[in-house]
Amino acid sequence: MSTGTLLAIIIPIVVVLALVAVAAALMIRRRRLRERFGPEYDRTVEQTGGRLAGERELRAREKHHDELDIKPLPDSSRNRYAQEWSGVQQEFVDRPEQAVHDADRLVASLMNERGYPTEGFEQQLKDLSVEHGRTLEHYRAAHEVETLTTGGKATTEQLRGAMVHYRALFDELLANGGRARHART
């Protein structure tokens, strides 16, 4: 067989194998992002207008998250937060709007102590989405009601729901206090 014939056979095979490898790598990366971000994957893809843009956004979140110093909570802090949450729940009976504000403040304080920046709600969502994508919708819903309480427009049922939503993220942040993720050096 001549060299030209061999090249005519080998080059297309190499190209096909390279395309298969690239496609497999993209599928693996997509599956990993879906598993890590949960429902936040679909939400981000939809908001960014496409799969590639959404996945680029999620990878950027991962990179930013890896630069954070997320740390475990000492047992004394976990106990203190659990006691504070009990107080917020008890406050709900007599002062539901204030209890929702306090729950929001307590979640932000817990996030801060764990090492999450707390400058803006949208950034909080992005930072939390990396490890807490499955409970992020709870935080969105609770924050929406908390915003309504500022104008006195939230119903008692909405306030009750906000407390349940805050509790879902609070419990996860508190439970994950034993898992540390430190910044790469």
Side-chain angles (χ1 to χ4, degrees):
M1 215 182 279
S2 73
T3 304
T5 306
L6 280 174
L7 287 176
I9 294 171
I10 292 174
I11 290 175
I13 290 174
V14 169
V15 168
V16 167
L17 289 176
L19 290 173
V20 167
V22 167
L26 288 173
M27 286 174 46
I28 289 169
R29 183 174 67 187
R30 182 168 294 137
R31 185 176 334 119
R32 186 188 64 75
L33 287 171
R34 277 184 177 280
E35 288 171 3
R36 182 162 202 186
F37 286 92
E40 190 64 15
Y41 175 91
D42 292 326
R43 182 183 190 89
T44 303
V45 166
E46 183 179 316
Q47 284 181 338
T48 57
R51 190 177 312 257
L52 291 177
E55 289 177 358
R56 188 173 26 256
E57 164 67 20
L58 294 173
R59 286 192 308 277
R61 290 181 191 184
E62 285 179 321
K63 184 178 180 193
H64 175 73
H65 185 272
D66 287 346
E67 294 169 357
L68 300 175
D69 185 20
I70 307 300
K71 53 194 168 285
L73 290 174
D75 287 340
S76 60
S77 290
R78 273 199 293 251
N79 292 336
R80 178 175 45 83
Y81 278 109
Q83 287 175 348
E84 284 186 52
W85 183 264
S86 261
V88 169
Q89 283 184 299
Q90 290 172 3
E91 177 184 32
F92 184 81
V93 174
D94 295 323
R95 300 173 49 211
E97 286 184 350
Q98 186 60 45
V100 169
H101 287 303
D102 289 346
D104 183 68
R105 178 200 50 79
L106 190 59
V107 166
S109 175
L110 177 54
M111 287 171 53
N112 186 53
E113 190 166 339
R114 289 281 320 278
Y116 288 99
T118 55
E119 291 87 55
F121 182 68
E122 289 304 317
Q123 188 60 48
Q124 288 175 3
L125 290 174
K126 289 178 181 180
D127 292 337
L128 287 169
S129 71
V130 177
E131 287 188 0
H132 307 283
R134 299 198 190 295
T135 55
L136 210 51
E137 202 52 43
H138 286 288
Y139 192 38
R140 278 188 182 95
H143 184 76
E144 185 178 316
V145 173
E146 197 273 337
T147 303
L148 289 174
T149 63
T150 304
K153 298 177 182 167
T155 66
T156 304
E157 188 57 30
Q158 287 173 316
L159 294 169
R160 187 198 64 72
M163 292 296 290
V164 170
H165 290 308
Y166 275 125
R167 180 66 189 244
L169 180 60
F170 178 84
D171 284 347
E172 189 168 301
L173 285 167
L174 202 61
N176 288 343
R179 285 185 13 210
R181 281 202 47 157
H182 295 285
R184 292 181 190 159
T185 55

